Amino acid sequence: MSIQGIIEGKKQWRAHVARVKALPPDYQIVYKEMQKYLFKVGPVSLSDGPLLPGIVDFFEEGVATGKGVLELIGTDVAAFCDDLIKDTPTYADAYQEAIGGEPGAARK
C-alpha cells in the first residue's frame, strides 16, 4: 500500500469514527460491542469492507426514525453480528480449517 493510500485510509477511518461519535450514547455502546466482536471473529475483509460503515448507516436510520438500538438489532449482539457475516469467510473459519475442523463451525 502506498503512503497516499495509508493517508486516505486514515481519513476515511477518522470520518467513520466521527459518525459513530455523533450517534446517541446507547447506539455508541452497542456499536463498540459489535466492533469488538467483529474484530475478534469477523470477516477477513472487515477493515476495508462495507460492513462497519453499513452498520453506522443502519444505526443513523434508526436514530432518524426514533427507534432504540435494541429495537433494531434485538438483545443478542453476537447473534445479530453472526447473521450479518454468515456468508462471509472469517478469521474463525480460517482457524477452524487450519486445525482440520469444519468451516463455519466456530460460529455455530
Side-chain angles (χ1 to χ4, degrees):
M1 180 178 271
S2 70
I3 299 264
Q4 192 62 31
I6 293 170
I7 292 169
E8 186 60 34
K10 284 185 177 188
K11 284 181 184 177
Q12 289 175 355
W13 183 251
R14 286 185 187 121
H16 175 79
V17 170
R19 288 177 63 201
V20 171
K21 287 181 179 180
L23 294 169
D26 57 335
Y27 277 84
Q28 289 182 45
I29 291 167
V30 171
Y31 175 83
K32 288 175 185 173
E33 289 303 313
M34 291 174 72
Q35 184 183 36
K36 267 195 272 185
Y37 182 81
L38 291 169
F39 276 130
K40 185 175 179 182
V41 299
V44 176
S45 64
L46 181 64
S47 61
D48 59 356
L51 183 60
L52 293 177
I55 292 169
V56 176
D57 291 341
F58 180 60
F59 280 6
E60 288 171 340
E61 290 173 20
V63 170
T65 60
K67 292 185 178 179
V69 68
L70 297 181
E71 288 180 77
L72 295 177
I73 69 162
T75 58
D76 191 341
V77 174
F80 182 82
C81 290
D82 286 342
D83 194 44
L84 287 176
I85 61 173
K86 66 183 172 196
D87 298 324
T88 308
T90 66
Y91 288 112
D93 292 338
Y95 177 73
Q96 283 295 320
E97 288 178 29
I99 62 171
E102 177 186 332
R107 292 182 277 155
K108 291 182 181 175

